[in-house]
Amino acid sequence: MARHNVTTGRANRHRGEVEAVIDGERRILCLTLGSLAELETAFAAENLMALAARFSCGRLKADDMIRILGAGLRGGGNLVSDEDVAVMSVDGGIAGLARLTAELLTATFGGPEDAPNP
């Protein structure tokens, strides 16, 4: 299976980073250990496995996406609050935000394409 370039612009997928244009500005998002701890607390998850299981169901509320994207933006070095994130926009509207959230979670926790190919 051919691997695609894991670095997009400034983002390094090996570090779990994704890059997105949000409110017309290129930003790096990354769920760092601190960001994940923030999300464990926000979602009352007992551990990282419980957090990953919660996200794997694919049924996220808008508030969930705000928290995840906020944590990812802060992990990527952006000084934003969840209130700031709630009014941010990306191309594609809510569908674009959902894709960005999914991309960030996949970069952090992996996805089907990361599974070994038998």
Side-chain angles (χ1 to χ4, degrees):
M1 178 178 186
R3 281 277 197 204
H4 62 288
N5 185 355
V6 295
T7 303
T8 305
R10 302 174 313 181
N12 183 331
R13 292 296 287 230
H14 287 298
R15 292 190 306 242
E17 296 175 347
V18 299
E19 184 174 352
V21 177
I22 302 173
D23 283 345
E25 182 181 332
R26 287 198 174 284
R27 298 174 187 256
I28 298 292
L29 294 86
C30 183
L31 291 177
T32 63
L33 192 56
S35 300
L36 291 168
E38 176 185 333
L39 291 174
E40 282 177 336
T41 300
F43 291 110
E46 192 170 310
N47 54 44
L48 283 177
M49 293 300 291
L51 191 64
R54 176 185 168 95
F55 296 152
S56 69
C57 73
R59 295 183 184 152
L60 298 176
K61 300 183 300 184
D63 193 50
D64 296 342
M65 292 189 333
I66 289 168
R67 287 179 171 169
I68 294 164
L69 293 173
L73 282 162
R74 288 186 290 277
N78 300 276
L79 300 176
V80 296
S81 67
D82 285 352
E83 292 78 20
D84 296 330
V85 175
V87 297
M88 291 179 164
S89 63
V90 300
D91 285 345
I94 191 66
L97 289 167
R99 278 190 300 276
L100 178 56
T101 303
E103 183 180 356
L104 180 59
L105 292 173
T106 299
T108 302
F109 294 107
E113 67 278 359
D114 297 321
N117 190 5

